Amino acid sequence: MLSKRIIPCLDVRDGRTTKGIRFRDNIDVGDPVSMARFYYEEGADEIVFYDITASSDRRGIMIEVVRRVAEEIFIPFCVGGEIRTIEDMRRILLAGAEKVSINTAAVLNPAIISDGAQAFGSQCMVLGMDVRKVEPTGNIPSGYEVVINGGRTLMGIDALWWAKRAVALGAGEICLNSIDTDGVQSGYEMALTRLISSSVSVPVIASGGAGTIDHIVEVLTQGEADAALVASIVHYGTYTIRQIKEELNARGVKVRMTW
């Protein structure tokens, strides 16, 4: 069995880590560079960094912050936010990231997935998906709709269809975020996570909703996710990465325990 991964998520705005609920009411929770270093030392398997206002502000990612984080950690590092071209990807990878996460740009221009996979390899291409639960329709039979622009724009695209198409285009991993559970700390969106995880051939990172270790155990087992993104429960000190992994290990969930 491959080890399950615990991945802290740093949502960054104006050079500071923030956290909100359902993409709203964000508050400052710290310096992303020092937080990344702390989580690395605690045993995190990867770090995800999202420049959450790069798209809405119509600017490039704060590349200097990316570079400073990359200098402090020695685990895989994924960066997302306003990545629209191969050159954007190249700049981020040269700054020290191992992966790029594309979300809005991929929905608007799916060819960027295949272009990026051809240029840098599928292992570098992470499809970010923001999803809302809706009433099933002919266009959205799964009952889950893709949303872009930081949760602002409903696209009328079925989440399951889009996940399968992105993988066929070359996405090597999916970071699946439920807007309905984001920041609420009431548990991951289990039905959505299981639906996507069981339907694609690439790893799926569950995102949005972790409030307890029980939630993480559930999504990594019943939800069939390969990794769990965590934010509020570690940013606010409810649990440390070490505590989460020790408890997962005690419950028989295989995780990396050496760091």
Short mmCIF file of all heavy atoms in Angstrom, two decimals, residues 84-142:
data_model
loop_
_atom_site.label_atom_id
_atom_site.label_comp_id
_atom_site.label_asym_id
_atom_site.label_seq_id
_atom_site.Cartn_x
_atom_site.Cartn_y
_atom_site.Cartn_z
N ARG A 84 -1.36 30.66 -16.49
CA ARG A 84 -2.10 30.65 -17.75
C ARG A 84 -1.26 30.21 -18.95
O ARG A 84 -1.81 29.95 -20.02
CB ARG A 84 -2.71 32.03 -18.02
CG ARG A 84 -3.75 32.43 -17.00
CD ARG A 84 -4.43 33.75 -17.36
NE ARG A 84 -5.45 34.08 -16.38
CZ ARG A 84 -6.72 33.64 -16.43
NH1 ARG A 84 -7.09 32.85 -17.43
NH2 ARG A 84 -7.60 33.98 -15.51
N THR A 85 0.04 30.18 -18.79
CA THR A 85 0.90 29.86 -19.93
C THR A 85 2.01 28.90 -19.51
O THR A 85 2.28 28.72 -18.32
CB THR A 85 1.56 31.13 -20.50
OG1 THR A 85 2.49 31.65 -19.53
CG2 THR A 85 0.53 32.20 -20.83
N ILE A 86 2.65 28.31 -20.51
CA ILE A 86 3.81 27.45 -20.25
C ILE A 86 4.92 28.26 -19.59
O ILE A 86 5.63 27.76 -18.70
CB ILE A 86 4.30 26.82 -21.57
CG1 ILE A 86 3.23 25.88 -22.13
CG2 ILE A 86 5.61 26.06 -21.34
CD1 ILE A 86 2.87 24.73 -21.24
N GLU A 87 5.06 29.51 -19.98
CA GLU A 87 6.10 30.34 -19.38
C GLU A 87 5.81 30.58 -17.90
O GLU A 87 6.75 30.62 -17.07
CB GLU A 87 6.22 31.67 -20.12
CG GLU A 87 7.36 32.56 -19.64
CD GLU A 87 8.71 31.85 -19.66
OE1 GLU A 87 8.98 31.05 -20.59
OE2 GLU A 87 9.50 32.09 -18.72
N ASP A 88 4.54 30.77 -17.53
CA ASP A 88 4.18 30.89 -16.11
C ASP A 88 4.63 29.65 -15.34
O ASP A 88 5.19 29.74 -14.25
CB ASP A 88 2.67 31.06 -15.95
CG ASP A 88 2.15 32.39 -16.44
OD1 ASP A 88 2.94 33.35 -16.55
OD2 ASP A 88 0.94 32.47 -16.74
N MET A 89 4.36 28.49 -15.91
CA MET A 89 4.76 27.23 -15.27
C MET A 89 6.27 27.17 -15.12
O MET A 89 6.80 26.78 -14.06
CB MET A 89 4.27 26.04 -16.09
CG MET A 89 2.78 25.92 -16.21
SD MET A 89 2.35 24.48 -17.24
CE MET A 89 0.61 24.78 -17.52
N ARG A 90 6.98 27.52 -16.18
CA ARG A 90 8.44 27.45 -16.15
C ARG A 90 9.01 28.35 -15.05
O ARG A 90 9.93 27.94 -14.33
CB ARG A 90 9.01 27.85 -17.52
CG ARG A 90 10.54 27.79 -17.59
CD ARG A 90 11.05 28.07 -18.99
NE ARG A 90 10.75 26.95 -19.90
CZ ARG A 90 9.85 26.99 -20.86
NH1 ARG A 90 9.15 28.10 -21.07
NH2 ARG A 90 9.65 25.95 -21.63
N ARG A 91 8.47 29.55 -14.90
CA ARG A 91 8.96 30.47 -13.87
C ARG A 91 8.76 29.89 -12.47
O ARG A 91 9.65 30.00 -11.61
CB ARG A 91 8.23 31.81 -13.97
CG ARG A 91 8.60 32.64 -15.18
CD ARG A 91 7.75 33.90 -15.27
NE ARG A 91 7.95 34.76 -14.11
CZ ARG A 91 6.98 35.16 -13.30
NH1 ARG A 91 5.73 34.74 -13.49
NH2 ARG A 91 7.25 35.96 -12.29
N ILE A 92 7.62 29.25 -12.25
CA ILE A 92 7.34 28.67 -10.94
C ILE A 92 8.24 27.48 -10.65
O ILE A 92 8.78 27.34 -9.54
CB ILE A 92 5.85 28.27 -10.86
CG1 ILE A 92 4.99 29.54 -10.84
CG2 ILE A 92 5.57 27.41 -9.64
CD1 ILE A 92 3.53 29.27 -11.09
N LEU A 93 8.43 26.63 -11.63
CA LEU A 93 9.30 25.47 -11.44
C LEU A 93 10.75 25.88 -11.24
O LEU A 93 11.46 25.32 -10.41
CB LEU A 93 9.16 24.52 -12.63
CG LEU A 93 7.78 23.87 -12.80
CD1 LEU A 93 7.70 23.11 -14.13
CD2 LEU A 93 7.46 22.94 -11.64
N LEU A 94 11.19 26.90 -11.97
CA LEU A 94 12.55 27.39 -11.79
C LEU A 94 12.74 28.08 -10.45
O LEU A 94 13.86 28.16 -9.93
CB LEU A 94 12.91 28.35 -12.93
CG LEU A 94 13.14 27.70 -14.31
CD1 LEU A 94 13.36 28.76 -15.37
CD2 LEU A 94 14.33 26.74 -14.27
N ALA A 95 11.64 28.58 -9.87
CA ALA A 95 11.72 29.20 -8.54
C ALA A 95 11.80 28.17 -7.43
O ALA A 95 12.01 28.54 -6.26
CB ALA A 95 10.51 30.12 -8.32
N GLY A 96 11.61 26.88 -7.77
CA GLY A 96 11.80 25.83 -6.77
C GLY A 96 10.63 24.91 -6.54
O GLY A 96 10.74 23.95 -5.77
N ALA A 97 9.49 25.17 -7.19
CA ALA A 97 8.35 24.26 -7.03
C ALA A 97 8.57 22.99 -7.84
O ALA A 97 9.27 23.00 -8.86
CB ALA A 97 7.07 24.96 -7.47
N GLU A 98 7.96 21.89 -7.38
CA GLU A 98 8.00 20.64 -8.14
C GLU A 98 6.75 20.44 -8.99
O GLU A 98 6.77 19.67 -9.95
CB GLU A 98 8.12 19.44 -7.19
CG GLU A 98 9.51 19.19 -6.64
CD GLU A 98 9.87 20.15 -5.52
OE1 GLU A 98 8.95 20.68 -4.85
OE2 GLU A 98 11.07 20.39 -5.32
N LYS A 99 5.65 21.12 -8.60
CA LYS A 99 4.38 20.94 -9.31
C LYS A 99 3.70 22.30 -9.47
O LYS A 99 3.92 23.21 -8.68
CB LYS A 99 3.43 20.02 -8.51
CG LYS A 99 4.00 18.66 -8.16
CD LYS A 99 3.00 17.88 -7.31
CE LYS A 99 3.56 16.56 -6.83
NZ LYS A 99 2.58 15.82 -6.00
N VAL A 100 2.86 22.38 -10.50
CA VAL A 100 2.01 23.56 -10.67
C VAL A 100 0.56 23.10 -10.64
O VAL A 100 0.21 22.03 -11.15
CB VAL A 100 2.30 24.31 -11.98
CG1 VAL A 100 3.70 24.91 -11.94
CG2 VAL A 100 2.14 23.42 -13.20
N SER A 101 -0.29 23.90 -10.01
CA SER A 101 -1.71 23.61 -9.94
C SER A 101 -2.45 24.59 -10.84
O SER A 101 -2.31 25.80 -10.69
CB SER A 101 -2.22 23.74 -8.50
OG SER A 101 -3.61 23.51 -8.43
N ILE A 102 -3.23 24.06 -11.77
CA ILE A 102 -4.00 24.91 -12.68
C ILE A 102 -5.47 24.61 -12.49
O ILE A 102 -5.87 23.46 -12.37
CB ILE A 102 -3.58 24.72 -14.15
CG1 ILE A 102 -3.52 23.24 -14.53
CG2 ILE A 102 -2.24 25.39 -14.41
CD1 ILE A 102 -3.24 23.00 -15.98
N ASN A 103 -6.27 25.66 -12.46
CA ASN A 103 -7.68 25.53 -12.15
C ASN A 103 -8.50 26.29 -13.18
O ASN A 103 -8.92 25.74 -14.19
CB ASN A 103 -7.92 26.03 -10.73
CG ASN A 103 -9.31 25.76 -10.21
OD1 ASN A 103 -10.28 25.79 -10.96
ND2 ASN A 103 -9.44 25.51 -8.92
N THR A 104 -8.68 27.59 -12.96
CA THR A 104 -9.47 28.42 -13.88
C THR A 104 -8.93 28.35 -15.30
O THR A 104 -9.70 28.16 -16.26
CB THR A 104 -9.48 29.87 -13.39
OG1 THR A 104 -10.16 29.94 -12.13
CG2 THR A 104 -10.18 30.79 -14.39
N ALA A 105 -7.62 28.49 -15.46
CA ALA A 105 -7.04 28.51 -16.80
C ALA A 105 -7.28 27.20 -17.53
O ALA A 105 -7.49 27.19 -18.75
CB ALA A 105 -5.55 28.80 -16.72
N ALA A 106 -7.27 26.08 -16.80
CA ALA A 106 -7.48 24.79 -17.44
C ALA A 106 -8.92 24.64 -17.94
O ALA A 106 -9.16 24.07 -19.01
CB ALA A 106 -7.15 23.66 -16.47
N VAL A 107 -9.88 25.15 -17.17
CA VAL A 107 -11.28 25.08 -17.60
C VAL A 107 -11.49 25.94 -18.85
O VAL A 107 -12.18 25.53 -19.79
CB VAL A 107 -12.21 25.54 -16.46
CG1 VAL A 107 -13.66 25.59 -16.94
CG2 VAL A 107 -12.09 24.60 -15.26
N LEU A 108 -10.88 27.12 -18.86
CA LEU A 108 -11.06 28.03 -19.99
C LEU A 108 -10.25 27.61 -21.21
O LEU A 108 -10.63 27.91 -22.34
CB LEU A 108 -10.67 29.45 -19.57
CG LEU A 108 -11.50 30.06 -18.43
CD1 LEU A 108 -10.98 31.44 -18.07
CD2 LEU A 108 -12.98 30.13 -18.81
N ASN A 109 -9.13 26.92 -20.97
CA ASN A 109 -8.25 26.51 -22.06
C ASN A 109 -7.67 25.13 -21.74
O ASN A 109 -6.52 25.03 -21.29
CB ASN A 109 -7.14 27.53 -22.28
CG ASN A 109 -6.14 27.09 -23.33
OD1 ASN A 109 -6.48 26.34 -24.25
ND2 ASN A 109 -4.89 27.55 -23.20
N PRO A 110 -8.43 24.07 -21.96
CA PRO A 110 -7.97 22.72 -21.57
C PRO A 110 -6.64 22.32 -22.19
O PRO A 110 -5.93 21.49 -21.62
CB PRO A 110 -9.11 21.81 -22.04
CG PRO A 110 -10.32 22.69 -22.04
CD PRO A 110 -9.82 24.04 -22.47
N ALA A 111 -6.30 22.91 -23.33
CA ALA A 111 -5.04 22.54 -23.99
C ALA A 111 -3.83 22.85 -23.13
O ALA A 111 -2.76 22.25 -23.33
CB ALA A 111 -4.92 23.26 -25.34
N ILE A 112 -3.97 23.74 -22.14
CA ILE A 112 -2.83 24.07 -21.29
C ILE A 112 -2.40 22.83 -20.49
O ILE A 112 -1.22 22.70 -20.13
CB ILE A 112 -3.15 25.25 -20.34
CG1 ILE A 112 -1.86 25.77 -19.70
CG2 ILE A 112 -4.15 24.85 -19.28
CD1 ILE A 112 -2.06 27.02 -18.86
N ILE A 113 -3.32 21.93 -20.22
CA ILE A 113 -2.96 20.70 -19.49
C ILE A 113 -2.02 19.85 -20.33
O ILE A 113 -0.95 19.43 -19.87
CB ILE A 113 -4.22 19.91 -19.11
CG1 ILE A 113 -5.16 20.74 -18.25
CG2 ILE A 113 -3.82 18.61 -18.39
CD1 ILE A 113 -6.49 20.06 -17.97
N SER A 114 -2.43 19.58 -21.55
CA SER A 114 -1.60 18.73 -22.42
C SER A 114 -0.30 19.43 -22.79
O SER A 114 0.76 18.79 -22.85
CB SER A 114 -2.37 18.33 -23.68
OG SER A 114 -2.95 19.44 -24.31
N ASP A 115 -0.34 20.75 -22.99
CA ASP A 115 0.89 21.48 -23.30
C ASP A 115 1.87 21.42 -22.12
O ASP A 115 3.07 21.21 -22.30
CB ASP A 115 0.58 22.95 -23.61
CG ASP A 115 -0.16 23.12 -24.93
OD1 ASP A 115 -0.19 22.17 -25.73
OD2 ASP A 115 -0.72 24.23 -25.15
N GLY A 116 1.34 21.59 -20.91
CA GLY A 116 2.20 21.52 -19.72
C GLY A 116 2.76 20.14 -19.49
O GLY A 116 3.93 19.97 -19.14
N ALA A 117 1.92 19.11 -19.70
CA ALA A 117 2.37 17.73 -19.52
C ALA A 117 3.46 17.39 -20.52
O ALA A 117 4.43 16.69 -20.20
CB ALA A 117 1.20 16.77 -19.65
N GLN A 118 3.32 17.89 -21.74
CA GLN A 118 4.33 17.62 -22.77
C GLN A 118 5.64 18.33 -22.44
O GLN A 118 6.73 17.77 -22.64
CB GLN A 118 3.82 18.07 -24.13
CG GLN A 118 4.79 17.76 -25.27
CD GLN A 118 4.22 18.10 -26.63
OE1 GLN A 118 3.13 18.67 -26.74
NE2 GLN A 118 4.93 17.74 -27.69
N ALA A 119 5.53 19.55 -21.91
CA ALA A 119 6.73 20.33 -21.63
C ALA A 119 7.45 19.87 -20.37
O ALA A 119 8.69 19.83 -20.34
CB ALA A 119 6.37 21.82 -21.50
N PHE A 120 6.71 19.51 -19.33
CA PHE A 120 7.33 19.26 -18.02
C PHE A 120 7.03 17.88 -17.44
O PHE A 120 7.61 17.50 -16.42
CB PHE A 120 6.87 20.33 -17.02
CG PHE A 120 7.09 21.74 -17.50
CD1 PHE A 120 6.01 22.55 -17.81
CD2 PHE A 120 8.37 22.24 -17.67
CE1 PHE A 120 6.20 23.84 -18.26
CE2 PHE A 120 8.57 23.53 -18.11
CZ PHE A 120 7.48 24.34 -18.42
N GLY A 121 6.11 17.13 -18.05
CA GLY A 121 5.72 15.83 -17.53
C GLY A 121 4.42 15.89 -16.75
O GLY A 121 4.14 16.88 -16.07
N SER A 122 3.63 14.84 -16.84
CA SER A 122 2.34 14.80 -16.13
C SER A 122 2.51 14.92 -14.62
O SER A 122 1.62 15.41 -13.93
CB SER A 122 1.59 13.51 -16.47
OG SER A 122 1.15 13.50 -17.81
N GLN A 123 3.65 14.45 -14.11
CA GLN A 123 3.86 14.49 -12.66
C GLN A 123 3.90 15.92 -12.13
O GLN A 123 3.70 16.14 -10.94
CB GLN A 123 5.14 13.76 -12.28
CG GLN A 123 6.43 14.54 -12.48
CD GLN A 123 6.87 14.62 -13.94
OE1 GLN A 123 6.32 13.92 -14.80
NE2 GLN A 123 7.85 15.45 -14.23
N CYS A 124 4.12 16.89 -13.01
CA CYS A 124 4.15 18.30 -12.60
C CYS A 124 2.78 18.97 -12.67
O CYS A 124 2.61 20.06 -12.13
CB CYS A 124 5.10 19.11 -13.48
SG CYS A 124 6.84 18.76 -13.25
N MET A 125 1.83 18.32 -13.33
CA MET A 125 0.55 18.95 -13.63
C MET A 125 -0.53 18.51 -12.65
O MET A 125 -1.00 17.37 -12.70
CB MET A 125 0.13 18.63 -15.06
CG MET A 125 1.14 19.02 -16.12
SD MET A 125 1.53 20.79 -16.08
CE MET A 125 -0.09 21.45 -16.44
N VAL A 126 -0.94 19.41 -11.76
CA VAL A 126 -2.00 19.13 -10.81
C VAL A 126 -3.25 19.91 -11.24
O VAL A 126 -3.18 21.14 -11.39
CB VAL A 126 -1.60 19.54 -9.38
CG1 VAL A 126 -2.75 19.27 -8.41
CG2 VAL A 126 -0.35 18.79 -8.95
N LEU A 127 -4.35 19.21 -11.43
CA LEU A 127 -5.60 19.89 -11.73
C LEU A 127 -6.27 20.30 -10.43
O LEU A 127 -6.63 19.44 -9.61
CB LEU A 127 -6.54 18.97 -12.51
CG LEU A 127 -7.91 19.59 -12.82
CD1 LEU A 127 -7.78 20.65 -13.90
CD2 LEU A 127 -8.93 18.53 -13.20
N GLY A 128 -6.42 21.60 -10.21
CA GLY A 128 -7.20 22.08 -9.08
C GLY A 128 -8.66 22.15 -9.48
O GLY A 128 -8.99 22.69 -10.54
N MET A 129 -9.53 21.59 -8.66
CA MET A 129 -10.97 21.62 -8.94
C MET A 129 -11.71 22.21 -7.75
O MET A 129 -11.60 21.70 -6.63
CB MET A 129 -11.51 20.21 -9.21
CG MET A 129 -11.04 19.59 -10.50
SD MET A 129 -11.71 17.90 -10.73
CE MET A 129 -13.48 18.22 -10.75
N ASP A 130 -12.45 23.30 -7.97
CA ASP A 130 -13.38 23.83 -6.97
C ASP A 130 -14.78 23.44 -7.42
O ASP A 130 -15.18 23.70 -8.55
CB ASP A 130 -13.26 25.36 -6.88
CG ASP A 130 -11.92 25.79 -6.32
OD1 ASP A 130 -11.43 25.12 -5.40
OD2 ASP A 130 -11.38 26.81 -6.78
N VAL A 131 -15.53 22.81 -6.50
CA VAL A 131 -16.78 22.16 -6.88
C VAL A 131 -17.88 22.51 -5.88
O VAL A 131 -17.65 22.56 -4.68
CB VAL A 131 -16.58 20.63 -6.93
CG1 VAL A 131 -17.89 19.92 -7.26
CG2 VAL A 131 -15.50 20.26 -7.94
N ARG A 132 -19.08 22.73 -6.41
CA ARG A 132 -20.27 22.92 -5.57
C ARG A 132 -21.28 21.81 -5.86
O ARG A 132 -21.42 21.36 -7.00
CB ARG A 132 -20.95 24.26 -5.87
CG ARG A 132 -20.26 25.47 -5.26
CD ARG A 132 -21.16 26.69 -5.40
NE ARG A 132 -20.51 27.92 -4.99
CZ ARG A 132 -20.40 28.33 -3.74
NH1 ARG A 132 -20.92 27.59 -2.76
NH2 ARG A 132 -19.79 29.46 -3.44
N LYS A 133 -22.02 21.41 -4.82
CA LYS A 133 -23.10 20.46 -5.01
C LYS A 133 -24.33 21.19 -5.53
O LYS A 133 -24.71 22.26 -5.02
CB LYS A 133 -23.44 19.76 -3.69
CG LYS A 133 -24.43 18.62 -3.84
CD LYS A 133 -24.58 17.84 -2.54
CE LYS A 133 -25.50 16.64 -2.75
NZ LYS A 133 -25.64 15.84 -1.50
N VAL A 134 -24.95 20.63 -6.57
CA VAL A 134 -26.13 21.23 -7.19
C VAL A 134 -27.15 20.13 -7.48
O VAL A 134 -26.86 18.94 -7.33
CB VAL A 134 -25.77 21.96 -8.51
CG1 VAL A 134 -24.83 23.13 -8.24
CG2 VAL A 134 -25.14 21.00 -9.52
N GLU A 135 -28.33 20.52 -7.91
CA GLU A 135 -29.31 19.53 -8.34
C GLU A 135 -28.84 18.89 -9.64
O GLU A 135 -28.44 19.61 -10.56
CB GLU A 135 -30.67 20.19 -8.54
CG GLU A 135 -31.38 20.56 -7.25
CD GLU A 135 -31.71 19.35 -6.40
OE1 GLU A 135 -32.11 18.31 -6.98
OE2 GLU A 135 -31.55 19.43 -5.17
N PRO A 136 -28.86 17.57 -9.75
CA PRO A 136 -28.46 16.93 -11.00
C PRO A 136 -29.32 17.39 -12.16
O PRO A 136 -30.53 17.58 -12.03
CB PRO A 136 -28.66 15.44 -10.70
CG PRO A 136 -28.60 15.33 -9.21
CD PRO A 136 -29.21 16.59 -8.70
N THR A 137 -28.67 17.59 -13.30
CA THR A 137 -29.37 17.95 -14.54
C THR A 137 -28.76 17.13 -15.67
O THR A 137 -27.81 16.37 -15.47
CB THR A 137 -29.19 19.45 -14.85
OG1 THR A 137 -27.80 19.71 -15.11
CG2 THR A 137 -29.67 20.32 -13.70
N GLY A 138 -29.28 17.34 -16.86
CA GLY A 138 -28.72 16.66 -18.01
C GLY A 138 -27.28 17.02 -18.25
O GLY A 138 -26.46 16.19 -18.66
N ASN A 139 -26.92 18.29 -18.00
CA ASN A 139 -25.54 18.75 -18.18
C ASN A 139 -24.66 18.38 -17.01
O ASN A 139 -23.43 18.29 -17.15
CB ASN A 139 -25.50 20.27 -18.38
CG ASN A 139 -26.05 20.70 -19.72
OD1 ASN A 139 -26.01 19.93 -20.68
ND2 ASN A 139 -26.56 21.92 -19.79
N ILE A 140 -25.27 18.21 -15.83
CA ILE A 140 -24.49 17.92 -14.62
C ILE A 140 -25.10 16.70 -13.94
O ILE A 140 -25.71 16.79 -12.87
CB ILE A 140 -24.47 19.14 -13.68
CG1 ILE A 140 -24.07 20.40 -14.43
CG2 ILE A 140 -23.50 18.91 -12.51
CD1 ILE A 140 -24.18 21.67 -13.62
N PRO A 141 -24.93 15.53 -14.55
CA PRO A 141 -25.59 14.33 -14.00
C PRO A 141 -25.06 13.89 -12.64
O PRO A 141 -25.78 13.26 -11.87
CB PRO A 141 -25.31 13.26 -15.07
CG PRO A 141 -24.13 13.76 -15.83
CD PRO A 141 -24.24 15.25 -15.83
N SER A 142 -23.81 14.24 -12.34
CA SER A 142 -23.24 13.83 -11.04
C SER A 142 -23.80 14.64 -9.88
O SER A 142 -23.69 14.23 -8.73
CB SER A 142 -21.71 13.98 -11.07
OG SER A 142 -21.33 15.34 -11.00
#
